[in-house]
């Protein structure tokens, strides 16, 4: 635990901004995701102090660090002093050996969403900050993401029927939330995995001062995310309209020649939307770009093409129609004793 320093920067502007950022959500029932770090501790205290229609708090114990249970209990005690119900959600079952952070994250959202649904919360609120957004954008840049990825974390996302994940603190620098807690003598935890350089996020965090020296500040990265989100949303809307024209009767049957006349950014999204509507899963941008790069010459040459993609069969016929259908099951592998030989 740290905190308790009362000689801090004036906290009034942050306090007002916090109240304004939370107000639209607090009119409905909210579940607060609180790890006990400064960001989510600020979220919990600020929400508890504001007028609200019903609040509950949950902490996920991922079972990855021995101290996690005690930390979750510390959050439970703080919630109790604020008069808020608290639940510790344990990640049970086998933990994978690789990709542990991604698996922990998926488990965390699943447990939180299940609990939110159980208690009838309309919003699940997390305390992601401007710094988290900047790190997300940097990670996506490093992966070569397109505009949808560079849009970073969206302020709101549907998690299921009647449940929205909201990130009301995305515009707040972490330093402001730390100062807000310290200015009020509110104690918070430090998560040692935040500094664990086995994880890309922590390694990028170490680079931040260097990048800021070159002007690549958290504010600028967050602004890039906002602009990418705005432009990506516009392109998606245009693509949705175009899909309505290209596949007037059925999204599984597209007019390929009309697709070929669209700007590539729109054509890619039309294809992506059509694949999703036809039941295809999510996929990486590079693979979608490669698919379009194969489809376009086939259309131009009036040639036939068949590709399996995201669990669907994508077939271009000589007349320029693109059909999407569930891919036939893969041919069964040979008998087990023949596998792995040769
Ligand atoms: N163990 C936890 N229990 C409850 N909420 C948590 C827990 N860990 C993280 N959160 C919530 O998620 C927010 C972001 O936390 P953190 O930045 O550590 O997660 P992340 O893994 O980087 O983000 P993301 O979940 O988007 O990948 C926290 O402010 C808090 O609201």
């Amino acid at each position: 635990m740290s905190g308790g320093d009362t000689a801090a920067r004036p906290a009034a502007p942050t306090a007002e901004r916090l109240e304004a950022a939370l107000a639209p959500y607090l009119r409905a029932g909210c579940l607060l995701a609180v790890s006990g770090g400064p960001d989510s501790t600020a979220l919990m205290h600020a929400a508890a102090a504001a007028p609200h229609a019903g609040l509950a708090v949950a902490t996920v114990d991922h079972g990855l660090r021995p101290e996690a249970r005690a930390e979750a209990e510390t959050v439970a005690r703080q919630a109790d002093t604020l008069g808020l119900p608290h639940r510790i959600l344990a990640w049970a079952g086998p933990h994978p050996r690789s990709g542990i952070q991604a698996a922990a994250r998926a488990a965390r959202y699943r447990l939180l969403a299940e609990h939110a649904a159980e208690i009838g919360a309309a919003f699940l609120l997390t305390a992601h900050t401007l710094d988290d957004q900047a790190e997300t954008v940097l990670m996506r840049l490093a992966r070569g993401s397109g505009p949808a990825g560079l849009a970073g974390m969206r302020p709101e996302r549907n998690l299921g029927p009647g449940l929205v994940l909201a990130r009301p603190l995305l515009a707040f620098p972490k330093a402001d939330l730390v100062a807000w807690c310290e200015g009020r003598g509110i104690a918070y935890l430090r998560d040692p995995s935040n500094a664990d350089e086995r994880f890309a996020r922590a390694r990028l965090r170490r680079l931040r001062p260097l990048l800021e020296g070159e002007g690549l500040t958290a504010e600028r990265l967050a602004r890039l995310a906002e602009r990418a989100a705005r432009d990506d949303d516009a392109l998606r809307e245009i693509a949705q309209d175009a899909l309505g024209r290209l596949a007037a009767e059925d999204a599984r049957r597209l007019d390929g020649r009309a697709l070929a006349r669209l700007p590539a950014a729109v054509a890619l999204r039309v294809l992506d939307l059509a694949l999703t509507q036809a039941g295809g899963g999510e996929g990486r941008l590079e693979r979608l770009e490669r698919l379009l790069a194969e489809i376009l010459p086939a259309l131009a040459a009036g040639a036939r093409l068949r590709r399996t993609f995201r669990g669907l069969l994508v077939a271009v016929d000589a007349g320029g129609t693109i059909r999407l259908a569930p891919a036939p099951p893969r041919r069964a592998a040979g008998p087990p004793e023949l596998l792995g030989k040769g």
Side-chain angles (χ1 to χ4, degrees):
M1 274 290 187
S2 67
D5 173 12
T6 44
R9 294 192 265 163
T14 304
E16 279 164 32
R17 288 176 62 221
L18 272 172
E19 198 176 330
L22 294 174
Y25 301 108
L26 299 185
R27 289 187 202 113
C30 289
L31 175 65
L32 312 177
V34 179
S35 61
D39 317 334
S40 54
T41 297
L43 171 71
M44 176 168 70
H45 282 261
H52 59 80
L55 287 176
V57 181
T59 307
V60 177
D61 175 3
H62 300 95
L64 296 175
R65 291 181 296 113
E67 324 77 76
R69 191 75 195 182
E71 292 173 0
E73 283 163 1
T74 304
V75 177
R77 281 193 295 279
Q78 276 204 7
D80 191 50
T81 61
L82 295 169
L84 302 179
H86 179 274
R87 178 74 73 81
I88 298 177
L89 307 169
W91 181 21
H95 290 21
R97 289 214 189 141
S98 64
I100 191 74
Q101 282 231 314
R105 180 176 179 278
R108 176 161 77 244
Y109 280 112
R110 178 179 51 77
L111 290 165
L112 289 165
E114 280 169 8
H115 185 53
E118 208 177 286
I119 62 172
F123 295 106
L124 169 63
L125 303 188
T126 62
H128 288 97
T129 63
L130 185 80
D131 302 69
D132 296 323
Q133 182 70 305
E135 283 162 16
T136 301
V137 174
L138 278 177
M139 292 191 10
R140 306 251 169 105
L141 271 173
R143 253 188 257 153
S145 298
L150 296 180
M153 292 180 279
R154 298 302 186 105
E156 291 184 7
R157 177 160 72 85
N158 272 332
L159 283 186
L163 181 62
V164 172
L165 165 67
R167 299 172 166 122
L169 308 189
L170 264 189
F172 288 75
K174 187 185 193 70
D176 287 1
L177 299 176
V178 171
W180 187 86
C181 286
E182 295 189 346
R184 282 164 176 70
I186 297 170
Y188 55 81
L189 300 160
R190 284 180 213 281
D191 176 358
S193 67
N194 280 344
D196 188 337
E197 297 214 347
R198 277 176 305 158
F199 302 126
R201 197 175 275 276
R203 292 195 300 275
L204 281 172
R205 196 167 293 155
R206 187 163 51 91
L207 284 180
R208 288 270 308 278
L210 214 70
L211 298 174
E212 282 183 11
E214 295 299 330
L216 207 55
T217 59
E219 284 76 10
R220 286 200 179 133
L221 287 164
R223 205 175 314 143
L224 167 65
E226 271 173 34
R227 288 174 172 151
R230 177 196 63 196
D231 295 1
D232 190 57
D233 287 349
L235 284 166
R236 276 204 168 260
E237 220 175 291
I238 292 168
Q240 189 72 61
D241 282 354
L243 179 62
R245 290 193 303 276
L246 265 63
E249 287 139 42
D250 184 348
R252 289 165 299 180
R253 200 168 173 280
L254 298 176
D255 176 349
R257 297 210 174 104
L259 181 84
R261 285 194 295 273
L262 294 172
V266 178
L268 276 170
R269 286 166 176 82
V270 168
L271 203 52
D272 191 34
L273 287 167
L275 287 161
T276 307
Q277 285 181 27
E282 302 248 311
R284 290 190 61 89
L285 177 61
E286 283 84 7
R287 295 203 56 219
L288 188 67
E289 286 169 338
R290 272 201 302 254
L291 178 68
L292 187 66
E294 286 191 287
I295 289 177
L296 292 179
L299 287 166
R304 294 171 49 161
L305 180 83
R306 285 163 75 86
R307 289 287 175 269
T308 310
F309 193 80
R310 296 189 196 166
L312 296 172
L313 178 68
V314 181
V316 181
D317 68 23
T321 299
I322 304 172
R323 287 191 174 75
L324 309 177
R330 284 174 187 229
R331 218 175 292 154
E337 64 273 19
L338 295 180
L339 291 177
K341 289 191 178 169

